[in-house]
Amino acid sequence: MNTSTKNHDLISDVGRLYVVATPIGNLGDISIRAIETLRTVDLIACEDTRHTKKLCNHLDIATPLISYFREKEQSKSELLLAQLLQGKNIALVSDAGTPGISDPGAVLVRKARHAGIEIIAVAGPSALAAALSIAGLEHTTFFFGGFPPANKNERKQWLRQLALLPCPLIFYEAPHRIAASLQDMADLLGDREAQLFRELTKIHEECLEDTLIGLLKRVASGVKGELVLIVQGAELALPKPNNLEELLLWYRDEIKATLKDAVGNIARDLDLPRSQVYKQALQIWKDTP
Ligand code: SAM
């Protein structure tokens, strides 16, 4: 197994940081390399020691655990960096899936890289990859939004920025927020086709396919488990033009944007004063067919 990197400036007597993916439900998804790594490192840094302890017990791994969670990411990463610099090999795991994907990890990885520590990805399960792999999408691109903002106003503002993306949109969402998110998505993106993946790799794994409003009705009486939502991207009949007048027409006729939204977006995209865009927009909207 080759775990070396091409960076010859790395300091040799320091430890290595292994970023290890763990199962998102089905324990059989752990890789041989992940087991070997967790067994042989000096320390496993994890979000919740009780949670990872169960995984280690199942795998008969006795490596010491140390907690590393979002709220203490800065201070804990300093502590772990000190251990790495003293020559300790550390594995970083999250509760489930791949660390760093809507999970803690980035702070430690960045600090370790700046300090010249070798960082090795022990790749494996992720809910994002699992959902994508069975979504049957023909697109080669997608947008991954992680968790939508919990605050309704922030979520709506955020969704407005995604409305024009012409590729599938993928989100993680909690069961108690899925209805509110589906409603806001339907309001701001339109009632698009969507897929809701629940409990991937687990006994009750399922995929609900419907429009956003259809899904909303199906989860109205409550939904349990872990969720990944994939929403169809914007369908744009005409490509986005790049001059002011055509852009205004495009926003008005193709996107059905309000004058205010069109002015804001165009002023930003073309780096023009809003007043200039607004003046011309008034003319175009006055002539609405
Ligand atoms: N780092 C993880 C990964 O790589 O998938 C994601 C961590 S994030 C805190 C947890 C969210 O991932 C859940 O709320 C859910 O949206 C999604 N998720 C995790 N496991 C899942 C599963 N088995 N089925 C569906 N979604 C899952």
Side-chain angles (χ1 to χ4, degrees):
M1 184 189 317
N2 180 9
T3 52
S4 68
T5 73
K6 298 270 183 293
N7 188 346
H8 300 296
D9 296 334
L10 296 170
I11 306 161
S12 58
D13 55 353
V14 299
R16 285 173 169 178
L17 175 64
Y18 296 87
V19 180
V20 182
T22 57
I24 57 168
N26 190 323
L27 292 180
D29 289 341
I30 188 116
S31 72
I32 294 169
R33 189 168 167 232
I35 297 173
E36 273 174 18
T37 306
L38 296 178
R39 189 164 281 147
T40 53
V41 289
D42 299 297
L43 204 54
I44 301 173
C46 50
E47 278 190 278
D48 182 339
T49 50
R50 287 163 306 179
H51 189 98
T52 303
K53 185 83 197 145
K54 282 188 199 149
L55 178 70
C56 288
N57 286 345
H58 171 79
L59 298 168
D60 212 9
I61 290 171
T63 309
L65 306 177
I66 181 170
S67 74
Y68 176 84
F69 51 97
R70 182 81 74 200
E71 293 71 21
K72 287 269 167 70
E73 231 183 325
Q74 290 294 343
S75 59
K76 290 279 181 177
S77 58
E78 288 298 333
L79 204 134
L80 291 170
L81 183 60
Q83 304 255 14
L84 286 161
L85 291 170
Q86 283 165 24
K88 295 257 169 49
N89 288 320
I90 297 179
L92 173 70
V93 299
S94 59
D95 280 351
T98 302
I101 302 181
S102 298
D103 261 343
V107 176
L108 177 60
V109 164
R110 241 188 348 261
K111 284 188 184 172
R113 180 153 290 124
H114 285 161
I117 303 285
E118 188 175 358
I119 303 165
I120 296 145
V122 181
S126 171
L128 167 64
L132 251 184
S133 73
I134 55 169
L137 303 175
E138 283 172 15
H139 291 73
T140 50
T141 56
F142 63 89
F143 169 85
F144 174 57
F147 289 97
N151 174 280
K152 193 168 183 65
N153 287 335
E154 279 175 36
R155 185 165 62 234
K156 285 182 150 188
Q157 187 57 32
W158 186 72
L159 286 169
R160 272 187 201 105
Q161 294 169 11
L162 309 184
L164 298 185
L165 288 179
C167 59
L169 314 173
I170 308 181
F171 308 99
Y172 288 162
E173 191 49 290
H176 64 283
R177 289 214 190 94
I178 189 70
S181 280
L182 287 169
Q183 183 66 66
D184 289 346
M185 287 177 191
D187 291 347
L188 291 155
L189 308 178
D191 191 16
R192 299 184 187 177
E193 291 294 326
Q195 293 173 302
L196 186 62
F197 294 93
R198 199 175 74 80
E199 296 287 84
L200 288 160
T201 79
K202 304 185 200 178
I203 295 170
H204 298 294
E205 169 170 342
E206 67 173 344
C207 170
L208 305 179
E209 264 189 301
D210 215 319
T211 63
L212 289 166
I213 292 292
L215 285 179
L216 184 57
K217 288 182 185 147
R218 291 166 75 172
V219 302
S221 54
V223 61
K224 285 193 182 140
E226 304 202 86
L227 304 170
V228 179
L229 176 67
I230 302 189
V231 182
Q232 189 185 35
E235 273 181 4
L236 306 177
L238 296 173
K240 193 175 177 182
N242 54 14
N243 72 67
L244 178 54
E245 186 168 350
E246 284 176 23
L247 257 178
L248 283 164
L249 288 168
W250 185 78
Y251 270 103
R252 187 192 69 181
D253 301 337
E254 193 66 21
I255 306 300
K256 314 277 183 233
T258 61
L259 181 146
K260 185 166 166 263
D261 282 349
V263 169
N265 287 335
I266 295 173
R268 190 193 58 224
D269 288 355
L270 298 184
D271 200 16
L272 289 173
R274 283 176 75 94
S275 54
Q276 181 188 337
V277 180
Y278 185 68
K279 208 168 148 194
Q280 200 151 345
L282 279 179
Q283 193 59 41
I284 300 255
W285 257 257
K286 187 165 70 66
D287 298 338
T288 299

